[in-house]
Structures are given as C-alpha cells and as structure tokens.
Amino acid sequence: MILDSTTVDRDVDLAVDVCVAGSGAGGAVVAWELANAGRSVVVVEEGAYHSSRDFSQREDEMYSRLYQEAGVRVATDSTVLISQGRALGGSTVTSFCVCARPPRAILDSWRDTLAIPGVGAFEMSPHFERIEQELQVVELTAEQVNQNNRIVQAGAERLGFHHLRVAHNRVDCVGCGFCALGCAYDRKTDALTTHLRWASQRGAIIVPDCQVESITIDNARAVGVSGTFLRTAGGAAKLTVRAKVVVLAAGALGSPQVWLRSRLPNANQQVGRNLHLHPQAVVAGVFADEVASWRGIPQSVVVDEFLNPHDPAEGGFLLAPITVHPVALASMLPGFGADHRGLMESYPRLSLAAVMLRDRSSGSVELDSSGRPAVSYQLNDDDRAVLIEGLRRLADVYFAAGAERVVLPFTDLVELTRRGDYRGLDERSARANDPMLWSLHPQGSMRMGSNQKRSVVNPFGEAHDIRALFVADASIFPTAIAVPPQLSVMAFARRTARYIASNARRYFG
C-alpha cells in the first residue's frame, strides 16, 4: 500500500523487518527483493507520490515537483549544478532510460586492485542480467534514433570514432521527448512502475512525503528510523519505524546527509568523502536545417571512442546527445542580452550533446547549518585537461556532421566556426563555473571496501561499524563508473538484498 500522508493526523509508529530509506533505483529493488522473500518492509521517501497522470510536460511544474530544489542544487563553490530526483521512484522517474553496465575493467579492478571480493564483472553478471530482464532492457533500433542523435552519429562515423546505440528500459515508447519530466504514457519501466509496485503488491508499506531525520542505533546495531511527515491532515506528525534491518538508499548526497545528521560512527572520516559527480558540459551545434532535438528519444547514441575500456585508472569521456527543454536550455546557453536571445531563437536548429567525464576528481558532502547537504567539488588539473579535449572532440563531431558553428558552454559567448580552429577554446581554461558543469549521477560518497580505514561499508553494503545497517545506492561505488549508474545501482542493490535474505537468522532471528 501507498500511505496518503494527507490523511495523517497523528504520529505513526510501525514495526517491520526492514526499513528502506529512499525509493529510487536501489531502495526500490531492495524493497521488492525482501518483500518477495516474505519480509515485512516499509519504504520511506522524502518526495511525493506522482503517477503518469501528474506529468504535465510543463517545465515550470515538473522541475519543482520531481527534482531536489527544483533541479538547481548547486555545489557550495558554484562549480557544478546537480539535478536529482525527489519523488517516489527517485531519479529513475526522470531518467533518459539509458541502461549500461560499467566497463568490465572497472568492476574487475574493484575486485582485484581494491580487493573487494565478489564485485567483478563475471560475479555481478547474474545480477545485471536479472535486472535487465525485470526492466525489459533492449537495445534501441535504428528507427528510434532521432535527428539530434543522428547528427552526432553521422559526425562520429565520418571521423571514424567508435559509437553505439544504447540499451534502454522503455516499452512501446511514443517518442514524445519529455523523459526528464516523467513519462506521461507509462512507457518507462522505472522503479515506480516496476519494483515499488511489485513490493507493494507483496505487502510493503510505501510512505512518501516523509523526511528521514535519523537512524536509531542500539548497542551498535540499527533498529529503526525516525522522520517527519511533510504533508499531513493536521499539523506536524512524526514517523517512527522499528526495524531489524535498515537500508539507507537516499543517494550519494542524501545517504551521507542522513548518516551525519544521525551522528553515527565515522571514526575514519570516510562518510561523505570520495564524491564523484560524472560532470557534463553541454555543447550546441548550430545547423542550417531544423533539428528539433526535443522530438523523439533523447539519448540513443553514445560515442565511446575516448573512454578506454581496458584501463580503469584512466579518465576519459563519453559524447552523448541530450534533450533540453527551453527553460533549462536558457540557463545553459552562454552569453547575455542579444547574444543569448539569438541562441534561444536558434533553438529549432540546435543539436545538443554533452561531454560526460569519468571524473578522477573527488569532492565531499557535509552538512550546512540547516542540516542540508553541502557539496564541495573541484575538477583537478587532469580532468580539466580531459574536459577541454572533450569539448574539442565534440566540436569536431559537429563540424563533420555539417554544423555552421559550435557554441561552447562558457559564461561568455564562445563560438567555433570551423574544424581545426580552436582559438576560442585554447584561449580559455576550465575553472569554477566556467564552463558550466552539470551533474545527474552523483556517486561514491559512502564507498564500499574491505579496508575499513578507506571505506564506509563492506562488499555487501553493510556498515563496518554498525550491524544491520546497509547502504544501497550509487554512494557505495569506490570509483566513478563512467556510465549512467541506474542499472549498476539496481544490480548491486539486488546483491545486497539477496545477502540479507540469505542471512535471515543473523538479521531476523
């Protein structure tokens, strides 16, 4: 069942086997797996419950409805704009549906170089396969590639850059292009329409509109959570959940926030450290003919020529087309006054794509004076150089595809007018907030590992210092994974849930 918090007129006290804090990719899978194993489960989600009938396809409504801070959470030093989901189903509801496994070498390096047993590509394959089946993940067809993606594909082909059509979790897509604002047609197999629904059908209680404020600990063991309802029928109301297992799945910013706010043990100061943001910089190619990048599936082709699949220590980048609607585009395009207006008037002729870094830079998550996440993040020198190279390569792709000019994501209007003339780029360097960086995939702030001095949780996601407290989201990744993390989060969450279920005597008595 899904609790309607607007009917709550008093404090609520629940006792269950498992409490899951967060309902996105990780929390939803854990809830389903453990409910299916016969465990009583409560899922607590800060965001509201919205279904397809609520997805109006209007930016002014949906950003505030579906995103943390209306999609404009900013690092403390204004280096990165961070967009994260805040609704039942988390960021899976607003995703482009890309389902990619991490490069094999990355998973194998976690197992071999970082000595984390059981997380190599071979060992994780059954979990990935199962999640892919449950989400009905398939590679997109050539007919599903829209004009925006075809342009990047054509440029890559002419330059001999390796590229591929990616796999998505969507079924009978109508191609409306509003994926980032929630699917009004129920064609995404996101966490809301799959694992959360299945968990509810198995008896799980889903509690939206409730902020988890702290995790309760007794004798170095997690025994529940406490929270506050954000919308009720009669004033302030508290939620208390008593549980035998607590699973923290609030994301790479939310999970360390809850941990730190709860004043849980942090002897080695690893909570909130090692944050990776998979930062992106958006480039626009201006073409003579209409592109209408908003029509069709936003991201069907990816250029992976510059991501070394065999060297996990190397950074590199992906080039990926994106769809950006007018309000968001206006915040991204460079220039002021007439320059900015001219670019906006060119919107129908703009092809949009992003340079996505596999960042080796790392940041941190702390708490500000109000208890909210305060993110610090700066690109290191190596990643700055890689970013500039990525902008150059994406410009090459656009010119090879016939662009009249290429617009770079600096604060002032910087345009390139022909391939090979990079003066406008070479005269600049990457610095704070210039170019503008955008993050959709925070990860790594509660990383797993066998070495307790360098990690927060063990290889199965259980906290080193607190029994029966697990983390199941992108925060556990020990390094950046180079690709959109939805599929990986779900696969690792399944592994964690299966571990909990198979050790029932230890956790449930």
Side-chain angles (χ1 to χ4, degrees):
M1 63 167 285
I2 298 177
L3 178 66
D4 181 357
S5 67
T6 62
T7 67
V8 172
D9 58 4
R10 68 195 69 184
D11 292 347
V12 176
D13 192 322
L14 301 172
V16 292
D17 292 329
V18 182
C19 179
V20 182
S23 68
V29 168
V30 169
W32 155 242
E33 289 286 344
L34 292 176
N36 193 47
R39 296 295 160 190
S40 55
V41 176
V42 166
V43 179
V44 186
E45 167 59 50
E46 180 182 18
Y49 168 45
H50 301 290
S51 65
S52 56
R53 65 179 176 271
D54 302 311
F55 301 148
S56 65
Q57 301 183 345
R58 290 184 58 89
E59 289 180 273
D60 58 336
E61 296 175 351
M62 301 315 301
Y63 290 140
S64 59
R65 191 173 293 173
L66 297 179
Y67 287 86
Q68 289 281 2
E69 299 180 29
V72 290
R73 174 174 278 172
V74 182
T76 54
D77 33 14
S78 300
T79 54
V80 187
L81 178 69
I82 304 169
S83 294
Q84 287 185 291
R86 184 179 181 267
L88 200 62
S91 294
T92 70
V93 173
T94 58
S95 77
F96 283 172
C97 297
V98 175
C99 288
R101 299 188 190 189
R104 184 182 190 91
I106 289 178
L107 294 180
D108 288 349
S109 74
W110 293 356
R111 180 194 61 200
D112 301 333
T113 305
L114 301 182
I116 306 175
V119 300
F122 176 78
E123 296 93 329
M124 287 299 301
S125 183
H127 299 293
F128 279 106
E129 289 175 0
R130 182 61 180 174
I131 295 297
E132 288 163 349
Q133 292 169 5
E134 291 173 346
L135 298 184
Q136 302 180 64
V137 174
V138 294
E139 181 182 309
L140 297 178
T141 66
E143 292 72 28
Q144 290 176 299
V145 178
N146 72 355
Q147 178 63 8
N148 191 48
N149 282 260
R150 282 197 295 269
I151 285 171
V152 173
Q153 178 177 267
E157 287 175 348
R158 288 167 188 162
L159 296 173
F161 293 164
H162 189 271
H163 60 283
L164 68 156
R165 286 199 307 275
V166 292
H168 279 214
N169 61 310
R170 61 177 78 231
V171 178
D172 297 328
C173 178
V174 301
C176 71
F178 286 95
C179 302
L181 305 182
C183 183
Y185 307 98
D186 280 329
R187 304 305 168 90
K188 286 184 183 181
T189 53
D190 54 24
L192 179 62
T193 58
T194 58
H195 295 86
L196 285 177
R197 178 169 60 87
W198 302 337
S200 179
Q201 291 169 346
R202 285 288 191 271
I205 300 172
I206 314 294
V207 184
D209 289 309
C210 186
Q211 183 179 58
V212 172
E213 295 177 333
S214 64
I215 297 171
T216 308
I217 303 297
D218 182 30
N219 195 26
R221 180 187 178 110
V223 294
V225 307
S226 62
T228 300
F229 287 99
L230 303 178
R231 294 193 305 166
T232 64
K238 298 289 186 180
L239 172 71
T240 300
V241 181
R242 288 168 287 124
K244 298 173 182 177
V245 169
V246 174
V247 180
L248 191 51
L253 305 188
S255 286
Q257 175 192 18
V258 173
W259 186 295
L260 294 170
R261 199 163 51 195
S262 303
R263 300 183 184 275
L264 302 183
N266 187 21
N268 295 305
Q269 300 298 304
Q270 291 297 299
V271 174
R273 297 296 183 260
N274 312 299
L275 174 71
H276 297 283
L277 290 180
H278 198 199
Q280 308 177 26
V282 177
V283 174
V286 184
F287 287 79
D289 298 323
E290 183 179 80
V291 177
S293 63
W294 61 85
R295 293 187 188 136
I297 294 174
Q299 200 167 86
S300 55
V301 172
V302 170
V303 179
D304 60 351
E305 172 76 15
F306 308 101
L307 191 67
N308 188 337
H310 306 297
D311 186 356
E314 195 172 290
F317 55 88
L318 298 172
L319 304 178
I322 63 170
T323 289
V324 180
H325 297 290
V327 172
L329 180 67
S331 70
M332 291 181 179
L333 287 178
F336 303 92
D339 287 340
H340 187 271
R341 177 173 179 169
L343 288 175
M344 288 300 296
E345 290 173 342
S346 300
Y347 181 34
R349 299 187 293 116
L350 296 183
S351 175
L352 301 166
V355 178
M356 298 182 177
L357 294 185
R358 184 193 177 227
D359 51 334
R360 291 162 292 180
S361 311
S362 66
S364 65
V365 183
E366 298 177 341
L367 297 183
D368 65 16
S369 58
S370 64
R372 301 179 67 81
V375 178
S376 295
Y377 183 89
Q378 290 274 1
L379 290 183
N380 63 27
D381 290 343
D382 289 339
D383 281 344
R384 287 192 185 98
V386 172
L387 174 61
I388 296 299
E389 177 64 13
L391 296 176
R392 183 179 287 111
R393 294 297 189 176
L394 185 47
D396 286 344
V397 167
Y398 273 137
F399 284 126
E404 294 179 335
R405 63 188 193 276
V406 172
V407 181
L408 300 177
F410 292 99
T411 302
D412 297 324
L413 179 60
V414 178
E415 295 182 318
L416 306 179
T417 56
R418 62 183 177 86
R419 186 184 174 199
D421 184 358
Y422 302 118
R423 284 174 295 178
L425 182 56
D426 294 339
E427 292 168 358
R428 293 178 174 261
S429 60
R431 58 190 182 190
N433 203 30
D434 198 26
M436 177 181 176
L437 296 179
W438 182 32
S439 171
L440 301 171
H441 309 140
Q443 53 198 266
S445 57
M446 306 273 285
R447 64 182 177 182
M448 65 178 166
S450 300
N451 184 340
Q452 296 188 28
K453 293 183 178 180
R454 295 178 54 81
S455 58
V456 178
V457 299
N458 72 19
F460 287 101
E462 187 171 17
H464 289 306
D465 298 325
I466 305 169
R467 289 174 295 148
L469 174 59
F470 291 80
V471 181
D473 54 37
S475 69
I476 70 168
F477 298 157
T479 67
I481 64 168
V483 297
Q486 172 180 282
L487 192 68
S488 299
V489 170
M490 299 179 103
F492 276 93
R494 182 177 189 269
R495 181 173 181 267
T496 291
R498 288 301 179 94
Y499 173 80
I500 295 169
S502 65
N503 288 275
R505 183 173 297 179
R506 178 187 304 174
Y507 296 111
F508 305 115

